[in-house]
Amino acid sequence: MKEELRIVISGGGTGGHIFPAVSIANAIRTLRPDAKILFVGALGRMEMTRVPAAGYDIKGLPVRGLIRPLWSPKNIGVLIDYLKSKRQVRAIIRDFRPMAAVGVGGYASGATLDAAAAMGIPCLIQEQNSYAGMTNKHLAAKAEKICVAYDGMERFFPADKIVKTGNPVRQTLLESNISREQAIASFGLAPEKKTILLVGGSLGARTVNESVLSHLDLVRGSDVQFIWQTGKYYNASIMERLSKEPKMDNLVVTDFISDMAAAYKAADLVISRAGASSISEFCLIGKPVILVPSPNVAEDHQTKNAMALVDRDAAILVKDAEAAETLLPLAVKTVNDEARLKSLGENILKLALPDSAEIIAKEVIRMAERLKD
């Protein structure tokens, strides 16, 4: 009988880190139902609620991100919290006794994998973006395997450690059998009309929201339907603004969409930020997309993610600074262009890397079993 498998998975901060982490955990459990999996996250970040909701235990660290400029005196407190987190994670590792550690990016993964490597635990990191993050670049020397989603990542990591796996996505998207008609009906919209889905990530996107608000006349006069996820932070002010406008039957507004499989199925075209997890989802379902990279991310990595698709005519890019003026008119024009939609859908589907979570899970299990031997 095989010895019980114990794995630590660390990272979070955004849905783009949490969804892949949970997908990897689920794949490990599918392959090894006996596996014990413990997450390590950052206190106060969304993983502390999202991970337990997915059925996994999580420990929180007081770790937080560096403040810019880096010479800010406030970073003394950040450093103290990091050292405190490393002490705490050493205690967690001694108690849990993992056979492998997985880092998916985010504040907690640096402290966790630093400690794990120092204690002789084999480590794997998963880099979602086409431009490696600071934490994963720091951890690369300590990792046995580095799982990536894009070509050319040897400019950041040792080539002999890289495994191109793609990014794990939410299983619900791949397992859903909902039809377009059912999906459209679930939003109270008409199946015969073209539909645009606007999403700004798990917290919303000011630019995407302002793009709609500045073109309400276009929305009102269009024969196109819109599903608009505002994000919880922006929803109240947007609803107040819309309350002063005539009702639009072709516009569905919500702060958060829990069933993204239905939303994607309903949409003929998606407008989205260019987070790595979102892009991987669009590739797997072959969904035409206009990407509006966030300028508020390290090393402008969302633009680099987007260009990896745009260079293959697999997506359209609108710069954040130009979105308020051009995004909605371009989206309406594109969704009514059948040939363009078909081309975008076919080209983005060619970039899909399926079974990412299972491939990564097998790498993790191999590392863990080598430690046992």
Side-chain angles (χ1 to χ4, degrees):
M1 185 174 176
K2 289 184 177 179
E3 184 183 346
E4 177 183 85
L5 197 70
R6 296 183 303 280
I7 307 294
V8 159
I9 300 177
S10 184
T14 67
H17 291 314
I18 297 166
F19 296 141
V22 170
S23 294
I24 293 167
N26 291 343
I28 292 170
R29 279 214 173 145
T30 298
L31 295 168
R32 287 287 300 270
D34 63 306
K36 301 292 187 231
I37 298 172
L38 178 66
F39 279 74
V40 179
L43 290 169
R45 306 291 287 184
M46 68 167 63
E47 61 263 28
M48 299 308 295
T49 54
R50 294 284 179 89
V51 168
Y56 295 97
D57 293 333
I58 186 167
K59 302 282 188 182
L61 304 176
V63 66
R64 48 201 174 100
L66 288 168
I67 296 162
R68 297 184 186 276
L70 294 179
W71 45 258
S72 169
K74 294 179 181 178
N75 279 326
I76 296 172
V78 173
L79 178 59
I80 290 170
D81 282 343
Y82 181 78
L83 296 174
K84 190 185 303 180
S85 295
K86 283 186 71 172
R87 286 197 300 271
Q88 290 184 14
V89 84
R90 285 191 196 104
I92 291 169
I93 289 171
R94 281 194 296 268
D95 181 59
F96 184 65
R97 295 177 295 114
M99 300 163 181
V102 179
V104 296
Y107 302 145
S109 65
T112 302
L113 268 69
D114 263 345
M119 297 171 76
I121 309 298
C123 297
L124 176 148
I125 57 177
Q126 199 258 326
E127 174 56 61
Q128 292 107 32
N129 293 293
S130 61
Y131 195 95
M134 185 187 303
T135 298
N136 280 347
K137 283 191 281 189
H138 163 71
L139 293 170
K142 303 172 185 183
E144 285 195 18
K145 294 290 181 182
I146 303 169
C147 296
V148 303
Y150 293 90
D151 293 325
M153 297 304 286
E154 60 274 4
R155 68 191 192 276
F156 304 112
F157 305 127
D160 60 337
K161 296 184 178 184
I162 293 174
V163 183
K164 188 178 178 185
T165 61
N167 288 323
V169 302
R170 291 172 277 195
Q171 279 96 334
T172 52
L173 298 180
L174 304 179
E175 295 167 357
S176 175
N177 293 316
I178 191 170
S179 68
R180 182 180 184 275
E181 289 71 25
Q182 290 170 323
I184 285 281
S186 72
F187 289 97
L189 295 173
E192 70 275 8
K193 291 187 176 182
K194 293 290 186 182
T195 303
I196 296 173
L197 170 66
L198 302 105
V199 289
S202 50
L203 300 177
R206 180 191 297 274
T207 299
V208 173
N209 291 338
E210 289 179 348
S211 300
V212 182
L213 292 174
S214 62
H215 286 91
L216 289 177
D217 287 343
L218 174 62
V219 172
R220 186 179 297 108
S222 173
D223 195 37
V224 174
Q225 303 174 131
F226 300 83
I227 301 169
W228 181 14
Q229 178 184 285
T230 63
K232 293 184 179 180
Y233 181 79
Y234 301 102
N235 189 252
S237 62
I238 287 171
M239 296 308 292
E240 182 181 358
R241 165 74 187 277
L242 292 177
S243 70
K244 300 170 184 174
E245 298 280 339
K247 188 176 186 313
M248 289 172 270
D249 293 333
N250 64 334
L251 176 64
V252 174
V253 184
T254 180
D255 63 339
F256 179 74
I257 298 172
S258 56
D259 189 352
M260 284 306 299
Y264 285 154
K265 182 66 75 169
D268 297 285
L269 176 69
V270 179
I271 294 171
S272 172
R273 287 303 201 189
S277 291
S278 296
I279 285 177
S280 293
E281 292 176 351
F282 303 142
C283 291
L284 283 168
I285 61 178
K287 188 60 61 175
V289 60
I290 297 177
L291 298 170
V292 187
S294 171
N296 305 313
V297 294
E299 309 289 353
D300 195 26
H301 69 250
Q302 286 204 3
T303 296
K304 296 175 177 72
N305 291 347
M307 289 307 300
L309 274 66
V310 172
D311 288 344
R312 294 167 174 81
D313 195 30
I316 298 169
L317 183 147
V318 171
K319 293 179 180 179
D320 188 86
E322 301 171 359
E325 181 179 347
T326 65
L327 179 58
L328 257 288
L330 176 62
V332 170
K333 178 183 176 183
T334 303
V335 82
N336 284 310
D337 185 340
E338 285 290 350
R340 186 70 172 127
L341 284 183
K342 185 172 185 289
S343 172
L344 287 169
E346 289 174 350
N347 290 342
I348 199 170
L349 191 60
K350 293 174 186 175
L351 303 180
L353 292 170
D355 306 317
S356 299
E358 182 181 349
I359 295 167
I360 296 169
K362 287 178 178 177
E363 292 285 351
V364 176
I365 291 169
R366 272 197 289 269
M367 281 174 28
E369 289 180 339
R370 274 204 314 274
L371 182 67
K372 286 190 308 182
D373 298 340

